[in-house]
């Protein structure tokens, strides 16, 4: 008789698959996975090697959070087609979880980068940085848009893109360079949402890739016009032409308790 046809004790079979033998006993009791034979002398359950692929399929489905009812239904009508349909559904769900975890990882890395910067940055410094192009979800606002309306607009967009939590994205505001040059420092026209791994679709705003002037403003919001004046002086001194929008984003909301400690990152694209 082939070695693979020999019977294994419940302990041996459980050890082979890295599970507790009580799991096999439970599967037998609910009719999900029965032993190949019962020892007539002592009533012990016995299994053979050829049952391994079936058990591994059950364990895989359990790992994918397939309910026992679904697995029992599958086992009653086991076929390549039914397994493919079940796996297709679970793979799609797993893809969503992976995308979410990747988004969380990106957000955490951004927070860590911000905290590293906070510990070392010179807030008075104005610099030129390289940035990749980004796709942003935007909502239109104006001077008359209330905070409550802004919250509703952001909430509607986060629901549209199925963001489970606010931390799944980064948020900020946009003001056109033309408004800043005209001295209209409160003429914000858009709020933006940066969602990790968002690909271009019609209606999204694309922030250009290339060089940006980057600066920071800390504290009283009424003093931000002075920071913009310093930015434009820097650009003029270095013969840089700014265009498009200024992108403002808070970088220390998680550790700032007072408004005077709040730090805004300002980035404006340079026309090449």
């Amino acid at each position: 008789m082939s070695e693979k046809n020999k019977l294994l004790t419940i302990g041996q079979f459980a050890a082979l698959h890295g599970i507790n033998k009580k799991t096999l006993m439970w599967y037998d009791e609910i009719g999900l996975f029965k032993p190949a034979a019962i020892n007539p002398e002592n009533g012990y359950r016995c299994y053979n090697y050829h049952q391994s692929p079936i058990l591994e399929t059950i364990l895989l489905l359990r790992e994918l959070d397939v309910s026992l009812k679904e697995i029992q239904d599958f086992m009653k009508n086991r076929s390549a087609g039914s397994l493919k349909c079940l796996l297709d559904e679970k793979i799609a769900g797993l893809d969503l979880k992976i995308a979410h975890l990747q988004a969380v990882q990106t957000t955490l890395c951004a927070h860590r980068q911000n905290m590293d910067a906070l510990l070392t940055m010179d807030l008075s410094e104005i610099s030129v940085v390289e940035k990749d192009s980004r796709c942003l979800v935007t909502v239109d606002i104006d001077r008359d848009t209330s905070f409550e309306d802004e919250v509703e607009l952001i909430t509607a967009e986060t629901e549209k893109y199925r963001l489970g939590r606010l931390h799944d994205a980064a948020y900020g505001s946009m003001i056109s360079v033309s408004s800043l040059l005209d001295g209209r420092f409160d003429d914000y026209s858009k709020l933006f949402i940066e969602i990790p791994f968002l690909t271009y679709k019609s209606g999204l705003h694309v922030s250009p890739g290339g060089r940006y002037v980057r600066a920071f403003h800390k504290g009283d919001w009424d003093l931000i016009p002075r920071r913009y004046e310093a930015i434009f002086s820097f650009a003029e001194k270095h013969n840089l032409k700014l265009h498009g929008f200024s992108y403002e984003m808070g970088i220390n909301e998680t550790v700032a308790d007072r408004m005077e400690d709040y730090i805004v990152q300002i980035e404006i694209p340079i026309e090449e």
Side-chain angles (χ1 to χ4, degrees), residues 260-272:
E260 52 264 39
D261 295 325
Y262 188 77
I263 300 174
V264 178
Q265 175 182 273
I266 301 169
E267 294 181 333
I268 308 175
I270 299 169
E271 187 174 292
E272 303 294 349

Side-chain angles (χ1 to χ4, degrees), residues 11-265:
Q12 291 171 324
F13 196 68
L16 179 64
H17 294 278
I19 60 175
N20 192 298
K21 65 181 183 181
K22 289 184 178 180
T23 300
L24 289 174
M25 295 169 66
W26 180 46
Y27 285 172
D28 181 18
E29 290 169 3
I30 65 175
L32 179 61
F33 183 75
K34 292 194 166 293
I38 301 292
N39 189 316
E41 296 180 2
N42 52 28
Y44 289 172
R45 298 171 175 86
C46 299
Y47 299 81
N48 64 45
Y49 180 85
H50 297 291
Q51 291 181 284
S52 287
I54 300 173
L55 178 60
E56 282 299 325
T57 300
I58 293 172
L59 296 176
L60 171 63
L61 295 176
R62 290 294 289 157
E63 193 169 337
L64 292 173
D65 292 328
V66 180
S67 69
L68 283 173
K69 177 66 168 59
E70 289 179 286
I71 297 176
Q72 286 173 323
D73 290 342
F74 163 71
M75 293 298 291
K76 291 174 184 176
N77 300 283
R78 199 164 76 251
S79 69
S82 61
L83 181 58
K84 181 182 181 301
C85 289
L86 191 55
L87 292 178
D88 283 345
E89 177 187 340
K90 297 307 172 182
I91 288 171
L94 195 58
D95 286 341
L96 289 176
K97 288 182 180 179
I98 291 171
H100 172 70
L101 289 174
Q102 288 176 328
V104 170
Q105 182 186 46
T106 298
T107 301
L108 291 176
C109 289
H111 282 317
R112 183 179 62 184
Q113 183 177 358
N114 287 341
M115 295 307 104
D116 284 341
L118 285 173
L119 294 171
T120 58
M121 72 170 50
D122 177 1
L123 292 177
S124 65
E125 181 184 10
I126 300 175
S127 59
V128 175
V129 298
E130 286 281 345
K131 291 185 66 67
D132 294 330
S133 176
R134 300 174 295 165
C135 291
L136 305 175
V137 179
T138 60
V139 295
D140 294 330
I141 59 171
D142 56 34
R143 292 187 183 91
D144 298 324
T145 306
S146 68
F147 177 73
E148 290 76 12
D149 289 339
E150 290 182 1
V151 170
E152 288 186 8
L153 290 168
I154 290 293
T155 300
E157 290 301 313
T158 55
E159 289 178 352
K160 182 188 299 183
Y161 286 89
R162 298 181 180 179
L163 290 178
R165 295 288 185 273
L166 290 178
H167 66 237
D168 288 344
Y171 299 81
S173 54
M174 296 164 55
I175 183 170
S176 69
V177 170
S178 59
S179 291
L180 294 170
L181 290 173
D182 289 341
R184 293 180 279 117
F185 297 105
D186 61 347
D187 192 24
Y188 290 89
S189 58
K190 296 179 185 294
L191 301 176
F192 72 81
I193 310 169
E194 183 177 359
I195 303 172
F197 312 111
L198 184 65
T199 54
Y200 179 75
K201 295 180 182 178
S202 177
L204 293 178
H205 172 85
V206 178
S207 65
R211 295 191 300 159
Y212 281 66
V213 169
R214 174 184 288 170
F216 299 91
H217 172 72
K218 180 179 180 180
D220 192 340
W221 203 264
D222 292 336
L223 298 179
I224 202 167
R226 294 186 187 177
R227 196 58 177 148
Y228 274 113
E229 289 169 359
I231 291 170
F232 285 112
S233 294
F234 173 88
E236 183 177 4
K237 178 181 178 181
H238 293 85
N239 197 28
L240 304 174
K241 184 176 181 180
L242 306 182
H243 74 116
F245 289 90
S246 171
Y247 301 88
E248 297 179 1
M249 186 171 64
I251 65 169
N252 68 332
E253 299 101 323
T254 56
V255 294
D257 292 326
R258 304 177 304 167
M259 189 61 200
E260 52 264 39
D261 295 325
Y262 188 77
I263 300 174
V264 178
Q265 175 182 273

